Amino acid sequence: MNEPAAAPENLDFEAALTELERIVQALETGRLPLETALQRYQQGVALVRRCRQVLDEAEQRLLAIENGSLVPLDPPVER
């Protein structure tokens, strides 16, 4: 865990989530010195924010698709 991590804003969702999982596992061991644990926690918060940002952007894209260009492939059959 000594290698510098990429800035959260430069990570895609999957990379941010993977890094967050790694941090959580390290924190759950309870073996990190306090200062290191605090730094990891702060990194985790930044990664959670990045994941939320990416999910929000994906949601906005889906809403735009639904509101603009989403049409049924098979029109309903009238009886």
Side-chain angles (χ1 to χ4, degrees):
M1 271 197 207
N2 293 334
E3 71 279 355
E9 62 271 9
N10 295 330
L11 298 176
D12 63 16
F13 179 81
E14 290 78 10
L17 187 59
T18 298
E19 182 64 18
L20 180 59
E21 289 170 344
R22 194 169 70 87
I23 288 171
V24 169
Q25 287 175 350
L27 289 171
E28 285 179 341
T29 68
R31 296 182 184 164
L32 295 175
L34 178 59
E35 190 58 37
T36 302
L38 290 171
Q39 289 172 350
R40 295 294 187 273
Y41 183 84
Q42 187 174 8
Q43 292 168 345
V45 168
L47 289 164
V48 167
R49 288 182 180 142
R50 174 60 180 159
C51 288
R52 182 77 244 168
Q53 176 190 16
V54 174
L55 290 173
D56 287 345
E57 290 170 1
E59 181 180 25
Q60 291 305 311
R61 289 174 63 192
L62 289 172
L63 289 172
I65 291 169
E66 288 176 0
N67 292 330
S69 62
L70 187 64
V71 294
L73 295 177
D74 296 319
V77 177
E78 293 184 29
R79 293 182 182 182

